[in-house]
Amino acid sequence: MNDAGQKDTKNGRKEWENELWSYLAAGDGVKCPLQNFCLLKSAKQVKCFNDLIGTEYLSNVYKFVDNDSVQFPRDSVEMDPTCFQIGRVFELVFRLAEQLRDGNWDRSLPVPDNLIIKDGYNFPIEIRYIPLKAHHGAIWRLEDCWLIHLNKNDASARKRFTLYHEVFHILAHGECSPVFNKTPNGDINFNEVLADHFAANILLPRETVAAKWAETKDVSRMAAIFDVPRPIMYMALKIEGLV
Ligand SMILES: [Zn+2]
């Protein structure tokens, strides 16, 4: 994608990035804020995320995504066409991930887990590894920094993924309204899905993934090369139409 034609705006961000934050600021964090004027939905090409909230389908997908003991080729999950692939907000989050990665990445694999935002996002982040019972990670706003808790008991690939997931929440918090709302009944909410989308796209550069997949054709080997949880690798391949 070429941003050459996009002028920087007053706050120094690209227009598309401000567009992203304006959507998130307008939403409640639970639903996609574009539901009333989503072109995809009216064209009935794909399922809208908002129609999936609270469904068994969505909770099955997210149980799968969270499960580090899946094994391939034994395990799989259905993935209907949804706005994850082509929805505007997802596209903007993809561009954000790409922008933040490519400015600081030397093209080594796996993509390092310390590419955190050296330019223009002025917030120190401290990371602590502690045993967590029910979660992979959490963020806290301290007086002079952000604190990310990562679950000490998780595998390294999961910690890397959780780290970037939490970084997305921090970025969103800095750029628009607070993002701490949790869906009360434990349903998967829009902000959580976007945070996963951001983390997956930082750690899994699409062209490199496609090239390695052509060589390996093996989900577990791919997960090892990119050092991401196996289900995340699988979902990324699925979204790209490679499995
Ligand atoms: Zn989260």
Side-chain angles (χ1 to χ4, degrees):
M1 257 161 275
N2 182 5
D3 291 332
Q6 291 239 31
K7 279 194 213 111
D8 286 352
T9 52
K10 254 191 267 165
N11 63 4
R13 307 271 186 261
K14 298 279 193 295
E15 280 172 26
W16 61 261
E17 191 183 335
N18 286 331
E19 183 190 341
L20 168 64
W21 302 128
S22 75
Y23 292 149
L24 297 198
D28 61 2
V30 175
K31 289 186 272 179
C32 174
L34 293 183
Q35 63 177 340
N36 292 334
F37 45 100
C38 179
L39 299 174
L40 296 174
K41 192 179 177 187
S42 54
K44 297 207 173 19
Q45 290 169 321
V46 295
K47 278 188 187 144
C48 169
F49 176 82
N50 294 343
D51 295 337
L52 299 174
I53 295 174
T55 61
E56 206 184 356
Y57 167 74
L58 195 64
S59 85
N60 284 343
V61 167
Y62 274 85
K63 263 182 226 150
F64 179 85
V65 161
D66 249 12
N67 177 4
D68 281 334
S69 58
V70 294
Q71 291 294 340
F72 298 100
R74 186 194 68 197
D75 296 309
S76 69
V77 68
E78 282 312 308
M79 179 81 184
D80 292 342
T82 65
C83 52
F84 299 169
Q85 279 128 310
I86 46 176
R88 181 65 177 161
V89 187
F90 290 96
E91 185 200 333
L92 294 171
V93 169
F94 164 75
R95 292 177 78 169
L96 181 71
E98 188 181 55
Q99 169 178 275
L100 293 178
R101 180 189 63 230
D102 289 355
N104 296 311
W105 178 42
D106 63 3
R107 301 312 190 257
S108 61
L109 290 179
V111 172
D113 63 6
N114 62 355
L115 298 180
I116 301 174
I117 307 113
K118 294 171 185 156
D119 320 303
Y121 294 91
N122 195 14
F123 48 82
I125 293 179
E126 194 180 318
I127 297 164
R128 281 187 212 152
Y129 298 88
I130 59 167
L132 297 172
K133 281 203 181 105
H135 297 285
H136 293 303
I139 53 172
W140 307 92
R141 182 78 180 97
L142 305 185
E143 222 160 79
D144 53 352
C145 72
W146 283 91
L147 177 62
I148 298 181
H149 278 163
L150 295 178
N151 191 346
K152 200 179 164 187
N153 301 323
D154 280 346
S156 114
R158 178 61 69 178
K159 288 188 196 116
R160 284 160 45 80
F161 183 78
T162 306
L163 175 61
Y164 282 125
H165 172 112
E166 301 301 344
V167 164
F168 180 80
H169 287 316
I170 293 173
L171 287 170
H173 190 86
E175 298 294 325
C176 58
S177 51
V179 288
F180 290 113
N181 322 346
K182 293 270 180 228
T183 323
N185 56 8
D187 280 345
I188 310 302
N189 71 43
F190 194 62
N191 275 352
E192 294 308 311
V193 175
L194 289 184
D196 279 357
H197 189 65
F198 176 81
N201 278 297
I202 285 224
L203 292 168
L204 298 168
R206 287 182 185 178
E207 284 174 18
T208 319
V209 164
K212 288 283 169 196
W213 177 249
E215 286 169 26
T216 64
K217 301 276 187 201
D218 179 316
V219 182
S220 297
R221 274 179 65 200
M222 290 287 286
I225 291 168
F226 289 93
D227 200 4
V228 295
R230 276 187 302 250
I232 301 298
M233 188 72 247
Y234 176 81
M235 292 305 275
L237 292 166
K238 196 107 178 151
I239 287 172
E240 289 295 292
L242 297 170
V243 289

